[in-house]
Amino acid sequence: MATYAIGDIQGCGDEFEALLDKLKFDATRDRLWLVGDLVNRGPRSLDVLRQVRALGAAAITVLGNHDLHLLAVALAGSKSKQQDTIADVLRAPDRDELLYWLRHRPLLHCDAALGYTLIHAGLPPQWDAATAQQCAREVEAALRDDRQCIELFAHMYGDQPDGWLDELTGFNRLRFITNCFTRLRFCHDDGRIALSYKGTIEKAPAGLQPWFRVRRRRSRDMRIVFGHWSALGFHDAEGVLCLDTGCVWGSQLTAVRLDARTPDTPVTPVCVECGSSGLSPGE
Ligand SMILES: [Mn+2]
């Protein structure tokens, strides 16, 4: 049995299928960890949702910002954006089953035996492993409640608050948690989250650093697999493994085998080249 983690698919169904072939993935034997953002921007969001759902327990996927956006448009009447490619999902005869399944995916998945934790984007420096788990469970509970999830989506968009306080309550608390798990890339030097800059570390404005490099980050004893950051690309260092290699922007879709890895040994990613979509990177 092998456990493979795969980066942001974003509706790139051809590349997802090609990568599973290349890995010789066998759902009766192997496991998949997907970093989220199964849908949007790419051409085959509906197929990818159906394929991953059909894998059942063989695939674990966490929610990304594009997955939540699809749910907000479908369930709470949020406005679709011009670049969205989720119309096929919204029109599908099986949309209700797919959206119900997606809404019940976690924001964080931890496997102590494997020694990895899976999230879509990042963790703020104030959270240790227990706090991250607790925060994920709070938003997941709201998502799984038919009434609360509509209210959550109505209050989900926005960049504030940008600082964590244990005492945060209500939608400010849920929005902060959701923003960290699904949108975070950079933090200010003082530990506040910074959501507007999406580029490389080298070109980052003064005073910003990657979330995983903040001094005294309380989750640094965890090994974290994530995506969401195509400008960072493949990054296997500092206790974190980023797998977003920009498939939907015409670059690559990347997988890494997580089991049978000894700590501190570099892993060899398995990649498929992606057809250029003509899109330019963005959120
Ligand atoms: Mn994302």
Side-chain angles (χ1 to χ4, degrees), residues 111 142 200:
D111 186 326
T200 62

Side-chain angles (χ1 to χ4, degrees), residues 8 10 35-37 64-67 120-121 182-183 185 227-229 244 282-283:
D8 308 51
Q10 294 201 240
V35 299
D37 279 356
N65 53 308
H66 285 288
D67 305 313
H120 180 64
T182 66
R183 296 177 59 207
R185 297 184 184 93
H228 182 64
W229 193 351
D244 184 0
E283 193 151 1

